[in-house]
Amino acid sequence: MKCYVPGPNVKVLGRTIHALARFGDELYLESLVDCLRLRTLNTAESAYAMVKFNKNFFSYFNYNYNTNGDNEGPRCKISMKSALNTFKSPAHMDKQVENLEIKLELDQCKLIFQFKCKHGIIKTHYVSILDSKVTQAVYTKDLVPNRVTSSQRILTEAISNFQSSDDQVTLEALSNSILLRNYIDDNIDLSKIIRTQINIKAEEFDSYTVGEETAVTFTMKEFKALLTFAEALGLPIQIQFETTGKPIVFIVHNGTTLEAHFVLATTKPDVSTQASTIQKSSRVERNKRKDSNNFSESASKKPHLDEDISKCLDEDSHLFNFVDIPNDEAPTNNCDNSVNVNNNLVDFKDCDNIPASPTSKTMIKSLFKKCFESTFDPRSTQDVVLAQNSDSE
């Protein structure tokens, strides 16, 4: 097999390689009579991607049958890491590369990529072939009841509202709208997660046909990868799916040179978890209010402190007492029924004789006693150095 890719299409081929690298670790290449197919499959076998480049995508396309005579075209499997090293910067390839030659030589177990760049620079990459077999996924995309065509911008803006920790997304198709929400496992505490749900009306899509309302759950990583691929090419996305448990197919094509199929396995969402999130949240709030009421009732039943706490406060009660500064005149005992407290006599019969609490003025007098004396002259402190300067300047 031998083909030439013109400069502008080299950028598209490089973006395709980078998009497939987010799906699997191995790249399958198959040459047919009228097209060249690139495939990959993730390790969990839950995501499959196939990109077909038609014959008119190339400036020159030479197809040869395999030597075994079974009417099957040349095919091979290479490492995805080697393919990424070949297409390191696809965004700038159209400005540097004039054309690309791809040559598959099964007898030498090599796949050759030769870049003819500007100023006569030629870069050649020899990629080792791991196997001569390809993989094929079995899925249905023609006889499905649900078909939606959307601009990649709408789906990209919707996915941008999700958290980076969300690894699965649930798509629920209704008669007049589509709901996108993050999938939450039943074992996760709902009070510690962020619930995200986006409602997209049917009028927002280019075409909307839902013959059977259903909800399907698939992985977020591969979904973001195909959205990035469609955004780079500026093409819409066709979504075709059946019921839960059956694969969902995303198709990106321009109608003439390129067609890409991204097939994602779906899992049945936990109805008890996904549908009753609000009920569980309200149940948690009710439990919190119930615990608060129980605490209030228990506090009203026990108006006094515990014995240990009360004993502690009694022993350390001096921390909460104010020390009265004694006056110059000694207090007089005008009543027989009195108690001596802190050297002051308090009469319980005559309320007028109860000493007042110490004021801030009394505390200030105790600290700055000399300043409040009647014989104090402020001029006596002039020209007196009370403290030396800390700095020589």
Side-chain angles (χ1 to χ4, degrees):
M1 187 272 298
K2 184 179 181 180
C3 62
Y4 288 94
V5 183
N9 292 348
V10 174
K11 180 179 179 180
V12 177
L13 181 60
R15 291 188 180 277
T16 302
I17 297 296
H18 280 258
L20 296 179
R22 301 181 64 179
F23 278 76
D25 298 331
E26 296 173 341
L27 179 64
Y28 298 87
L29 186 144
E30 182 182 8
S31 177
L32 300 177
V33 177
D34 57 347
C35 65
L36 177 67
R37 291 182 180 178
L38 302 180
R39 295 190 179 100
T40 187
L41 181 69
N42 65 347
T43 54
E45 297 184 356
S46 60
Y48 168 82
M50 186 277 297
V51 181
K52 182 179 69 172
F53 297 100
N54 295 329
K55 192 174 182 178
N56 53 2
F57 179 83
F58 307 93
S59 59
Y60 173 80
F61 187 82
N62 185 8
Y63 166 80
N64 293 321
Y65 285 103
N66 201 356
T67 56
N68 54 16
D70 56 358
N71 294 334
E72 291 185 357
R75 56 184 63 183
C76 65
K77 179 178 71 172
I78 63 175
S79 173
M80 187 67 74
K81 185 177 181 180
S82 301
L84 288 177
N85 292 332
T86 304
F87 298 87
K88 289 185 178 180
S89 55
H92 305 286
M93 280 188 169
D94 56 339
K95 300 179 181 179
Q96 301 174 358
V97 180
E98 295 180 352
N99 64 74
L100 168 64
E101 179 184 352
I102 304 176
K103 186 185 300 183
L104 177 58
E105 298 179 355
L106 293 178
D107 53 347
Q108 298 182 6
C109 299
K110 290 181 181 180
L111 179 63
I112 303 174
F113 295 91
Q114 189 175 78
F115 296 90
K116 294 182 180 180
C117 306
K118 295 181 179 180
H119 308 291
I121 300 175
I122 298 177
K123 299 179 182 180
T124 305
H125 298 264
Y126 297 92
V127 181
S128 300
I129 296 176
L130 303 178
D131 199 352
S132 60
K133 297 181 180 179
V134 296
T135 183
Q136 177 66 38
V138 179
Y139 57 92
T140 302
K141 65 180 183 65
D142 297 329
L143 302 177
V144 293
N146 304 323
R147 297 172 179 268
V148 178
T149 303
S150 171
S151 170
Q152 50 79 23
R153 179 184 58 83
I154 295 177
L155 297 178
T156 302
E157 292 178 354
I159 292 299
S160 64
N161 295 279
F162 289 80
Q163 303 296 316
S164 58
S165 58
D166 296 332
D167 55 353
Q168 289 184 326
V169 59
T170 299
L171 185 149
E172 183 175 357
L174 303 177
S175 59
N176 57 354
S177 64
I178 279 184
L179 298 179
L180 288 174
R181 59 173 178 266
N182 56 333
Y183 177 78
I184 300 175
D185 194 1
D186 194 17
N187 298 325
I188 301 178
D189 187 5
L190 297 179
S191 61
K192 298 181 180 179
I193 59 175
I194 298 177
R195 183 68 172 167
T196 306
Q197 179 170 300
I198 306 296
N199 187 4
I200 307 176
K201 297 296 183 181
E203 294 78 9
E204 299 290 335
F205 300 99
D206 298 339
S207 64
Y208 191 85
T209 303
V210 175
E212 182 179 357
E213 295 185 355
T214 183
V216 292
T217 301
F218 45 88
T219 56
M220 179 74 78
K221 176 185 175 182
E222 286 78 8
F223 185 46
K224 289 182 177 180
L226 67 93
L227 289 179
T228 304
F229 175 74
E231 182 180 5
L233 300 182
L235 298 176
I237 301 175
Q238 296 181 7
I239 309 174
Q240 301 180 4
F241 57 100
E242 297 183 63
T243 59
T244 180
K246 301 245 181 116
I248 180 172
V249 182
F250 299 89
I251 301 176
V252 179
H253 69 92
N254 59 5
T256 56
T257 60
L258 180 144
E259 182 176 355
H261 293 185
F262 302 95
V263 185
L264 305 181
T266 62
T267 58
K268 184 177 181 181
D270 192 350
V271 179
S272 61
T273 302
Q274 305 300 313
S276 61
T277 305
I278 301 177
Q279 298 177 359
K280 289 189 177 183
S281 301
S282 60
R283 192 182 305 115
V284 171
E285 294 295 333
R286 288 197 300 268
N287 293 336
K288 289 182 179 179
R289 289 195 296 267
K290 184 178 179 181
D291 295 339
S292 177
N293 295 334
N294 293 338
F295 177 78
S296 301
E297 292 177 0
S298 61
S300 61
K301 291 180 182 178
K302 297 180 179 180
H304 301 289
L305 297 173
D306 295 337
E307 295 181 359
D308 296 338
I309 299 178
S310 179
K311 184 177 179 181
C312 259
L313 291 177
D314 291 339
E315 292 177 356
D316 297 337
S317 59
H318 64 278
L319 297 175
F320 303 94
N321 289 340
F322 293 96
V323 179
D324 293 334
I325 300 177
N327 296 328
D328 296 338
E329 299 179 357
T332 57
N333 187 5
N334 297 327
C335 184
D336 295 336
N337 191 3
S338 61
V339 179
N340 189 351
V341 178
N342 293 336
N343 297 327
N344 294 330
L345 295 177
V346 181
D347 191 356
F348 290 98
K349 290 184 178 180
D350 190 1
C351 296
D352 297 335
N353 295 330
I354 299 177
S357 302
T359 61
S360 59
K361 185 176 181 181
T362 305
M363 299 296 295
I364 293 175
K365 283 184 177 180
S366 65
L367 297 176
F368 305 97
K369 184 176 181 181
K370 188 175 181 180
C371 297
F372 289 92
E373 291 180 355
S374 58
T375 60
F376 175 70
D377 187 6
R379 292 175 296 177
S380 62
T381 59
Q382 294 180 357
D383 300 331
V384 179
V385 180
L386 301 178
Q388 294 294 336
N389 293 332
S390 60
D391 194 358
S392 60
E393 295 181 357

